[in-house]
Amino acid sequence: MKIAFSQPALPETGVLVVTALAGAKLSQAAEQLDKRMKGGLSRAIKASRFTGGKAQSLSLLVPGGTRLDRVLVLGLGKANEIDSPGLQAAGGRLYSALGRKVKAATVAVDAVEKCKLSAARMAADLAFGARLKSYRFDKYRTKEKTEEKATLGRLVVACSATTRARALYRGLDKVADGVFFTRDLVSEPPNVLYPETLARHARSLTKVGVKVEVLGMAQMKKLGMGALLGVGQGSIREPRLVVMRWDGGAGRGRGRAAAPVAFIGKGVTFDTGGISIKPAANMHDMKWDMGGSAVVIGLMKALAGRKANVNAVGVVGLVENMPGGNAQRPGDIVTSMSGQTIEVLNTDAEGRLVLADALWYCKERFKPKFMIDLATLTGAIIIALGHETAGMFSNNDVLAGRLAAAGQAVREPVWRLPLGEDYDKALKSIIADMRNIGGRAAGSITAAQFLQRFVGKVPWAHLDIAGVTWSDKEAPTAPRGGTGFGVRLLDRLVADHYEGR
Ligand code: BES
Ligand code: MN
Ligand code: ZN
């Protein structure tokens, strides 16, 4: 869908979207339209249940007194409660209402009294929400019926502050590109997307100025990444480690460059559980066990796309966890790159093994300002927080606070859970430095404790995104499927705190 911004002039024909506030208070554009309709818009509203609430919309076909085909009235709620996420949701509602019939539409956005957002900001957010909701993954559907296909190809946002709105939207559009890339990767089936091909997708970021290196088996062996390699050894698909760098900040990658911020992702392209094999029911969900890596890749695309003033690195560990004649066994002891040995008591607790080497590598090579890892790490986090909130673990209160605030701001909430020595004890092994499972109790926390053993003193946060990476329900700004949860959150974190000038 193409988005354009234009000066405010109501179109004579086609499809027009206007807004109303709580109490069915019409915007200026809606007032103008109502006049043209000789009060018909007000009458239609009175005849309906529409009250301008922030989850409402009202659709009018061939409104009298005009040559328009359709008018959609979007409720925005109370003026003083309007915020960016609310407007993005309204944009999503706009898309849902029109997206399967209408080819082009104009939405009129006016400044609203008592609203903390400018008209330009409102226009940009509305457009962003519509674009996010327009996402489709239909490359494997060859028999789609016409009425199932998306139609809305062009959305014109009419607003007085056109230049400003366009400038604000430019960055958001790049963030949406990153979110879409993440959703695409998460949606791909596991026969198509495996370590080598996922690495190839990451490599495509060179087009937007990201430096990409792909490490193969031999290099990882040399580095001593026994934990990551152990997970991959049961699969005929060889593992990869991808390193992405966006040098948009101070020093721009030269000798005195400012320390980068670092994002690390779990990229298990399919998780059967290995020899500790999973039950058959819903095992197909494990195609999105590479969700953490997809967020890191999408984030790098977003940062590079909007030319963020930051030095950022992304490191993703890519493996397929399969049973097989050469697969890792429960009881194996592997040596991680850090030198610490791990007794693998359950081959299904594989994400932490992959991250152990990815985190250590990132820390040693880049000496980053902080490390944030993302992983669909535990089923237990779904029991604890469901599908609305990601689990957060951190050794640093400042970083945790900033992440929580960014999550609030973009409505990708994270909730901090505790770490502590007593939890760490659950990882004691009788014959190695640690084992890879705690016990039934506090499964998400003991998994995080495991990761913490590989971050040294670097400020670090771990986001367990197992519950939020995939959604079986529609969301205000996303269809069902891969959500892209994490891209907007981390883009916001960077924008708010780490873009030095
Ligand atoms: N990828 C899974 C976690 C997962 C489960 C993600 C469901 C999304 C939905 C992970 O590798 C795993 O299998 N974790 C085990 C850990 C256990 C063996 C200690 C789990 O959560 O059961
Ligand atoms: Mn697993
Ligand atoms: Zn897994």
Side-chain angles (χ1 to χ4, degrees):
M1 183 178 57
K2 289 254 179 337
I3 304 235
F5 292 86
S6 78
Q7 284 300 312
L10 294 189
E12 297 287 330
T13 57
V15 176
L16 173 61
V17 184
V18 294
T19 60
L21 299 170
K25 185 176 179 312
L26 299 181
S27 69
Q28 287 159 36
E31 286 278 10
Q32 223 179 309
L33 175 67
D34 193 33
K35 272 199 197 109
R36 227 198 260 173
M37 290 174 66
K38 309 218 165 26
L41 182 59
S42 306
R43 272 177 57 211
I45 289 175
K46 274 208 195 85
S48 77
R49 282 193 187 155
F50 182 85
T51 60
K54 68 178 174 194
Q56 294 183 337
S57 62
L58 177 70
S59 191
L60 277 69
L61 295 175
V62 286
T66 76
R67 288 187 293 130
L68 293 165
D69 292 330
R70 197 205 277 240
V71 162
L72 183 74
V73 192
L74 276 181
L76 299 182
K78 292 193 184 127
N80 59 350
E81 288 173 8
I82 292 176
D83 57 7
S84 285
L87 280 162
Q88 290 164 20
R93 231 175 314 124
L94 181 167
Y95 186 85
S96 297
L98 304 178
R100 297 283 182 283
K101 174 65 194 170
V102 171
K103 289 206 177 75
T106 299
V107 54
V109 182
D110 316 302
V112 173
E113 225 177 291
K114 294 203 195 105
C115 163
K116 36 191 189 295
L117 305 181
S118 67
R121 178 89 250 169
M122 291 176 65
D125 278 324
L126 207 75
F128 185 46
R131 167 117 204 269
L132 285 172
K133 184 73 177 182
S134 76
Y135 176 80
R136 318 250 305 163
F137 186 77
D138 46 17
K139 66 191 274 200
Y140 296 105
R141 303 184 55 162
T142 67
K143 293 179 176 168
E144 229 175 352
K145 301 192 189 86
T146 332
E147 67 267 24
E148 293 171 343
K149 285 191 182 146
T151 54
L152 192 62
R154 185 175 161 79
L155 181 65
V156 179
V157 186
C159 128
S160 54
T162 318
T163 315
R164 180 84 192 116
R166 218 176 261 137
L168 286 171
Y169 182 70
R170 200 170 298 133
L172 294 175
D173 196 44
K174 299 300 179 186
V175 176
D177 288 345
V179 171
F180 281 20
F181 197 29
T182 299
R183 289 178 183 170
D184 279 344
L185 295 174
V186 161
S187 305
E188 284 288 354
N191 60 329
V192 173
L193 197 83
Y194 46 90
E196 186 190 343
T197 53
L198 181 47
R200 208 176 294 149
H201 283 293
R203 189 160 251 152
S204 76
L205 293 189
T206 49
K207 281 185 297 204
V208 290
V210 176
K211 294 185 194 118
V212 184
E213 293 164 60
V214 180
L215 277 59
M217 282 264 276
Q219 283 159 294
M220 286 191 272
K221 251 185 208 147
K222 221 185 242 163
L223 288 162
M225 296 187 170
L228 185 153
L229 289 170
V231 176
Q233 77 188 30
S235 170
I236 60 163
R237 311 293 197 186
E238 281 190 11
R240 295 284 186 272
L241 187 93
V242 182
V243 179
M244 293 158 279
R245 278 188 294 161
W246 166 249
D247 298 322
R252 310 219 182 259
R254 278 180 275 108
R256 295 190 314 278
V261 297
F263 304 95
I264 298 92
K266 168 180 172 181
V268 176
T269 60
F270 195 76
D271 180 13
T272 63
I275 296 299
S276 313
I277 199 160
K278 288 181 181 295
N282 297 319
M283 200 200 275
H284 59 262
D285 276 341
M286 287 301 105
K287 77 167 184 182
W288 47 262
D289 208 20
M290 34 57 70
S293 70
V295 171
V296 172
I297 295 167
L299 173 69
M300 295 303 287
K301 180 166 180 154
L303 293 176
R306 67 174 184 77
K307 305 221 179 315
N309 189 352
V310 68
N311 295 330
V313 303
V315 176
V316 294
L318 312 180
V319 299
E320 186 177 53
N321 188 20
M322 296 288 274
N326 193 46
Q328 164 160 270
R329 292 146 293 253
D332 282 4
I333 295 180
V334 295
T335 304
S336 65
M337 183 184 171
S338 73
Q340 301 177 90
T341 57
I342 305 160
E343 186 185 10
V344 179
L345 288 181
N346 188 322
T347 64
D348 196 11
E350 85 297 340
R352 60 198 77 181
L353 297 169
V354 173
L355 287 173
D357 281 336
L359 285 164
W360 189 266
Y361 175 84
C362 182
K363 164 175 92 73
E364 291 292 294
R365 176 165 172 195
F366 295 107
K367 313 273 183 277
K369 208 172 269 167
F370 67 66
M371 297 198 285
I372 296 175
D373 77 75
L374 299 105
T376 48
L377 203 62
T378 65
I381 204 71
I382 308 177
I383 307 302
L385 298 174
H387 299 288
E388 351 292 323
T389 305
M392 170 171 70
F393 303 82
S394 183
N395 62 4
N396 185 289
D397 293 346
V398 174
L399 184 59
R402 289 176 173 180
L403 272 167
Q408 283 276 319
V410 304
R411 297 289 196 276
E412 290 184 345
V414 299
W415 191 261
R416 192 175 183 183
L417 290 156
L419 291 166
E421 257 175 63
D422 286 335
Y423 291 112
D424 200 64
K425 286 183 191 143
L427 298 172
K428 258 201 167 124
S429 161
I430 295 166
I431 60 167
D433 297 340
M434 69 193 87
R435 49 193 230 163
N436 76 328
I437 47 170
R440 260 180 59 76
S444 303
I445 300 178
T446 53
Q449 290 294 159
F450 185 95
L451 300 181
Q452 192 175 18
R453 290 174 174 232
F454 299 88
V455 302
K457 293 201 160 55
V458 179
W460 155 79
H462 155 58
L463 302 180
D464 193 333
I465 57 172
V468 295
T469 293
W470 189 268
S471 176
D472 293 325
K473 287 185 308 210
E474 297 232 352
T477 53
R480 289 179 297 183
T483 61
F485 187 111
V487 175
R488 285 192 288 156
L489 163 70
L490 296 175
D491 175 74
R492 182 61 180 252
L493 174 81
V494 169
D496 282 353
H497 299 287
Y498 300 97
E499 291 200 49
R501 244 129 264 286

